[in-house]
Amino acid sequence: MSHNNQKKIAIINDISGFGRCSIAVSLPIISHMRIQGCMLPTSIFSNHTGFESYFYEDYTDKMPRYMEEWKKLDLHFEGIATGFLGSAKQIQIVRDFIHQFKDEKTKVIIDPVMGEDGKAYPTYTAEMCDKMKELVKYADILTPNLTEACMLTDIPYHDTGWTGKDFLEMMEKLRLLGARKIVISGWNSPSSITNVISETPGDVRYLRQKRVGTVRSGTGDIFAAVIAADCVNGHPLEASVKKAAAFVRDCILATEKRNIPPTDGVCFEDVLYRLKA
């Protein structure tokens, strides 16, 4: 018997015990989409960093030993999905993981969790930005938000005034870094949210959706998890982005009904049954 008789995605991200983000949302979504999710934690949080206080344990030094055990089991993955990485060393470990575990069947989905609203996260250093640019070359699908796309391409961020020419330039710069397919997620306007996708040179498409509810933790992780599972299941990218965006919208609407604090993420559990594999 083999450990490799079912599709598997290696999920490389942190574990937050409360707050519905990172592995806490990606694992059940990937499982629901009929793929085995295998966790490689980068760190463990009692609750995510959007709260005033939290317990935190770094997992960096344990990650290589963890990977060694997976090699002993001869695990093979149809997908490798990366999320928040807390240091330049962790980014290098992810590169090592890809070198060790990627084969001709493996799709790599990189969510370069670097910043938002035009600013890098406080933990993100210039060295980490450079390392993330190097990691991008492994991405079969890259899912930055607009801030992260700007950071990766050294294009100045601004809230408004983006043109089709701007996005074409950004996509081509991301492609020069090595990304094969790109989804710039969550470009905001007062009334809508737009996901911008590119699958080939010169190709830029815009998928708009009416804005609902308030900004909440974990929606990017949910979006990326659906994209990753659909990629491994062989679905077209445009259809996958539409599915992911619609599911995030449904999650937000369900959460608004329950009057849940924004830090607590979204009640994806209420609408998971709507998500099709």
Side-chain angles (χ1 to χ4, degrees):
M1 291 186 292
S2 170
H3 299 302
N4 300 305
N5 291 335
Q6 183 183 13
K7 292 178 181 178
K8 295 190 294 299
I9 294 177
I11 309 168
I12 309 175
N13 207 337
D14 66 81
I15 296 174
S16 291
F18 183 76
R20 291 193 192 89
C21 67
S22 307
I23 288 175
V25 297
S26 58
L27 180 60
I29 287 170
I30 287 170
S31 298
H32 177 78
M33 297 178 76
R34 301 184 180 179
I35 299 170
Q36 182 182 6
C38 303
M39 301 177 292
L40 173 53
T42 58
S43 54
I44 297 174
F45 292 85
S46 57
N47 42 280
H48 64 71
T49 59
F51 291 88
E52 292 184 3
S53 67
Y54 50 87
F55 166 80
Y56 159 72
E57 183 175 17
D58 181 33
Y59 217 66
T60 304
D61 292 338
K62 302 176 181 67
M63 291 172 71
R65 292 174 57 195
Y66 197 112
M67 291 158 52
E68 288 173 11
E69 297 302 319
W70 281 7
K71 289 298 288 185
K72 291 178 186 178
L73 292 170
D74 191 34
L75 298 185
H76 293 256
F77 298 97
E78 283 73 21
I80 299 171
T82 74
F84 178 75
L85 302 173
S87 65
K89 186 175 181 180
Q90 286 192 350
I91 297 173
Q92 181 58 53
I93 290 172
V94 170
R95 291 185 65 177
D96 294 342
F97 184 94
I98 292 170
H99 287 153
Q100 292 182 45
F101 288 94
K102 178 176 170 58
D103 61 29
E104 68 279 359
K105 296 180 180 179
T106 311
K107 300 297 184 182
V108 178
I109 301 91
I110 294 177
D111 186 11
V113 186
M114 304 166 72
E116 59 187 343
D117 298 328
K119 298 178 182 178
Y121 292 128
T123 57
Y124 240 81
T125 64
E127 180 187 12
M128 290 177 67
C129 289
D130 290 340
K131 291 290 186 183
M132 183 57 72
K133 290 177 183 178
E134 295 173 7
L135 190 64
V136 165
K137 71 181 180 182
Y138 300 100
D140 291 292
I141 300 178
L142 181 71
T143 62
N145 61 31
L146 183 56
T147 296
E148 292 154 356
C150 288
M151 292 171 67
L152 290 169
T153 57
D154 299 314
I155 293 175
Y157 175 89
H158 45 91
D159 289 324
T160 59
W162 292 95
T163 66
K165 182 178 179 181
D166 293 331
F167 280 111
L168 181 60
E169 177 189 5
M170 184 175 287
M171 292 296 191
E172 294 313 304
K173 286 188 173 184
L174 291 170
R175 191 164 277 110
L176 285 173
L177 290 175
R180 280 159 285 288
K181 297 181 181 181
I182 304 149
V183 182
I184 299 176
S185 63
W187 172 33
N188 292 315
S189 71
S191 60
S192 66
I193 296 177
T194 302
N195 295 304
V196 188
I197 67 174
S198 178
E199 299 189 66
T200 58
D203 162 50
V204 179
R205 282 164 283 158
Y206 305 88
L207 304 178
R208 292 182 174 85
Q209 180 173 276
K210 184 178 179 181
R211 172 188 288 281
V212 297
T214 59
V215 175
R216 293 181 175 275
S217 302
T219 53
D221 296 308
I222 290 172
F223 183 89
V226 175
I227 298 295
D230 260 5
C231 176
V232 166
N233 282 332
H235 296 304
L237 181 60
E238 182 171 333
S240 177
V241 171
K242 290 178 180 177
K243 179 196 292 187
F247 182 64
V248 169
R249 177 202 61 210
D250 290 349
C251 291
I252 292 172
L253 289 173
T255 308
E256 295 286 321
K257 291 179 181 179
R258 287 184 177 270
N259 196 29
I260 301 292
T263 51
D264 295 9
V266 293
C267 302
F268 72 94
E269 304 93 342
D270 285 351
V271 292
L272 189 56
Y273 70 94
R274 298 183 191 174
L275 188 60
K276 306 299 183 184

